[in-house]
Amino acid sequence: MNVTRGFTGRDRVHNPGLPPGQYDAGEDWPVLSAEVTPDLAPADWTFRVDGLVERPRTWDWDEAHALPPSAYEGDIHCVTSWSKFGVRFGGVSLDAFLDVARPHGSATHAVAYSHTGYTTNLPLADLTGGRAWIAWEYDGEPLPAEHGGPARLLVPHLYFWKSAKWIAGLRLLDHDEPGFWEQNGYHARGNPWEEQRYSGD
Amino acid sequence: MTDISASSFTPPTRFAVPGRIAVSNRAAAVWQTATLTEIRRETPHAATFRFAVPAWAGHLPGQHLMLRLTAEDGYAAQRHYSIASAPDDTGHIELTLDHVEGGEVSGWFHTVAKPGDEVEVRGPLSGFFAWPGDRPALLIGAGSGVVPLMAMVRHHRARELSVPLRLLVSARSPEELIYARELGAETTPVFTRSGPEGVAVGRMTAAHVAPVLSEPPPGGWEAYVCGSNAFAEHASRLLVEAGQPVDRIRIERFG
Ligand SMILES: Cc1cc2nc3c(=O)[nH]c(=O)nc-3n(C[C@H](O)[C@H](O)[C@H](O)COP(=O)(O)OP(=O)(O)OC[C@H]3O[C@@H](n4cnc5c(N)ncnc54)[C@H](O)[C@@H]3O)c2cc1C
């Protein structure tokens, strides 16, 4: 351990909800997208599931809203070290979309892509079983554009760059293909509890 | 380092700003000791910290690193910092830190740190905000957001590059303008609170951006925007409204 002379740091808070190396950002919700925030109206938003599925399909805003609503209440963790506790998102479970599209048995991974062209890769197992959402509400209000509105992917058990803003679709694959940050040196899976920040962690 | 063209999966949507370089995953994975060798005051709230990092793998202007401070009980705080110095072979790198009120890491640097102290760094990180010095660059920053842009300006000068480069930088006042002594003809400063006699004061507007964008160099500008999220939103909107293509705008938000 390389102790830094004279560094004591903040008061230690014991918070079992905080993954290693993270701090509680409190009320703050920093924005860290690398591209220009798009001007995307709900009427222009669509979400597509294709690739290794039986029934590729595109949903528009109203069709997606006709699926059973589902909410996430809990924590989110950003790779830049902040975590945010007790957030409330509303939308639809990704399982509801996948149940319609029916993934082939050969599908193991997905690339999620945005209306801006941003991409991120995920194991399919991280997107199923009630652990991922398409979210359009935050705290009971429409999701703000800078946070991914009108709708974003939400995969809260992984670092937040996996939760693609302005989500446009999922392509299911039988292999893993690095997305935008993953090509820029970030970890393929991004589990905050194992501190998988960068490739090689 | 090679150019990244596109991922093998190309989304049907408009393409996101592709990364400029492939990053070395090995360099990014290893923590190295950085020994503080010099502290230079830039403004009342910002100072530059020079470190010896003998095994530094080299970087491109625009890249950042992760920095870690460790307390005696093992508690560690880590933050991202842009690299201020241009790539060179001195085995040294420089960071410029704003003193954030109540800041855990910047507070240590501004009140405790002295030459000889050791911290840890890993990097360089992130290829998408890197500028290899190839394309004409329009740099727009505010506050400490000028730090990665200054690495580009310094690189341009050190290599005597002929590719066009312009810097628009916003600061509260001339006293708060980081690197003021070093800025030259490529730079247009914008002062938001107080300025020199006869210079208009206020936030950056379309009038600052228009003269640069109305005379684009061959191949157009690659725009690099850096600062707080609020500034990044404002500046990128000015660029889009002035006709800069969104896929030629790279944004580094300090959170
Ligand atoms: C890619 C990137 C590059 C960057 N480059 C630079 C750069 O070149 N120069 C630069 O100056 N900055 C840069 N930053 C910002 C930098 O990473 C830090 O955010 C900044 O230095 C503040 O860190 P700190 O530890 O001093 O403050 P922090 O301790 O993180 O505090 C920041 C604010 O949050 C509050 N806060 C945070 N945690 C807590 C807590 N647990 N309890 C109470 N309050 C809290 C503080 O009161 C303060 O207002 C960069 C950021 C990014 C993402």
Side-chain angles (χ1 to χ4, degrees):
Chain A
M1 189 169 80
N2 289 307
V3 173
T4 315
R5 183 193 61 83
F7 177 70
T8 48
R10 260 188 235 297
D11 292 347
R12 312 292 185 264
V13 264
H14 179 67
N15 182 345
L18 209 53
Q22 297 290 109
Y23 71 90
D24 181 356
E27 292 302 306
D28 281 358
W29 189 3
V31 175
L32 288 153
S33 21
E35 71 269 59
V36 178
T37 300
D39 194 3
L40 186 65
D44 299 325
W45 178 85
T46 54
F47 176 63
R48 179 168 176 79
V49 178
D50 63 12
L52 297 173
V53 297
E54 267 174 49
R55 292 193 291 188
R57 153 112 206 232
T58 302
W59 287 262
D60 66 16
W61 186 252
D62 291 338
E63 289 163 346
H65 280 69
L67 294 167
S70 174
Y72 170 74
E73 279 198 54
D75 313 329
I76 55 177
H77 311 289
C78 175
V79 70
T80 61
S81 301
W82 57 264
S83 292
K84 195 167 167 56
F85 288 89
V87 298
R88 288 194 302 139
F89 284 97
V92 168
S93 169
L94 203 57
D95 292 310
F97 295 93
L98 291 170
D99 286 348
V100 174
R102 296 205 203 135
H104 288 311
S106 60
T108 57
H109 291 80
V111 179
Y113 57 95
S114 295
H115 283 273
T116 61
Y118 173 87
T119 56
T120 186
N121 53 305
L122 302 109
L124 188 54
D126 280 315
L127 292 171
T128 52
R131 297 205 291 170
W133 289 260
I134 299 298
W136 40 67
E137 270 179 16
Y138 178 75
D139 229 357
E141 301 289 331
L143 183 64
E146 60 181 10
H147 292 301
R152 74 181 298 160
L153 179 64
L154 175 68
V155 192
H157 67 284
L158 300 180
Y159 282 127
F160 221 43
W161 90 81
K162 295 287 182 182
S163 295
K165 296 178 181 184
W166 316 296
I167 187 73
L170 278 186
R171 168 85 41 95
L172 272 61
L173 306 168
D174 60 7
H175 61 279
D176 200 9
E177 258 186 40
F180 176 75
W181 285 117
E182 294 82 3
Q183 289 173 54
N184 276 291
Y186 283 72
H187 197 275
R189 175 139 189 266
N191 178 355
W193 295 98
E194 290 175 14
E195 244 194 310
Q196 296 169 336
R197 295 178 198 273
Y198 302 102
S199 149
D201 279 353
Chain B
M1 287 182 266
T2 48
D3 230 42
I4 295 179
S5 44
S7 73
S8 34
F9 170 77
T10 306
T13 39
R14 189 172 50 200
F15 200 70
V17 189
R20 292 306 317 273
I21 53 158
V23 252
S24 158
N25 293 331
R26 274 205 21 246
V30 181
W31 285 103
Q32 303 184 54
T33 299
T35 308
L36 189 57
T37 59
E38 186 191 339
I39 304 176
R40 293 198 309 271
R41 180 137 299 282
E42 300 283 356
T43 71
H45 295 108
T48 292
F49 299 85
R50 185 172 177 83
F51 300 89
V53 191
W56 185 245
H59 63 277
L60 283 183
Q63 285 193 284
H64 62 261
L65 51 70
M66 180 80 112
L67 184 145
R68 176 166 78 182
L69 305 182
T70 307
E72 270 180 28
D73 63 354
Y75 170 87
Q78 47 188 29
R79 301 287 185 274
H80 285 113
Y81 290 102
S82 300
I83 301 163
S85 46
D88 58 29
D89 53 12
T90 61
H92 285 70
I93 53 170
E94 292 185 358
L95 308 178
T96 301
L97 272 66
D98 246 341
H99 190 175
V100 174
E101 194 62 40
E104 191 172 32
V105 172
S106 68
W108 180 84
F109 271 101
H110 280 271
T111 60
V112 181
K114 58 177 199 229
D117 283 343
E118 292 179 351
V119 302
E120 289 174 290
V121 296
R122 65 191 289 194
L125 303 172
S126 183
F128 93 94
F129 203 72
W131 181 65
D134 49 356
R135 302 181 189 167
L138 169 54
L139 317 178
I140 305 189
S144 57
V146 70
V147 174
L149 309 180
M150 194 63 204
M152 301 178 193
V153 172
R154 288 169 167 164
H155 185 61
H156 190 265
R157 288 185 191 156
R159 300 289 163 96
E160 298 179 359
L161 301 176
S162 56
V163 63
L165 175 136
R166 300 288 299 275
L167 171 64
L168 296 182
V169 57
S170 172
R172 288 204 178 102
S173 65
E175 298 72 47
E176 299 284 348
L177 179 61
I178 300 176
Y179 312 128
R181 290 178 312 262
E182 263 186 81
L183 302 173
E186 76 290 317
T187 301
T188 308
V190 179
F191 298 111
T192 56
R193 301 275 169 82
S194 62
E197 276 289 313
V199 174
V201 167
R203 74 198 298 224
M204 197 174 283
T205 65
H208 294 107
V209 175
V212 189
L213 283 184
S214 61
E215 286 174 32
W221 296 105
E222 194 77 17
Y224 290 80
V225 176
C226 187
S228 66
N229 177 56
F231 178 79
E233 286 291 308
H234 174 66
S236 59
R237 220 167 282 139
L238 289 178
L239 285 171
V240 171
E241 282 162 12
Q244 176 71 6
V246 289
D247 58 357
R248 306 275 317 263
I249 303 177
R250 296 163 191 279
I251 306 178
E252 186 89 282
R253 300 170 203 248
F254 281 1

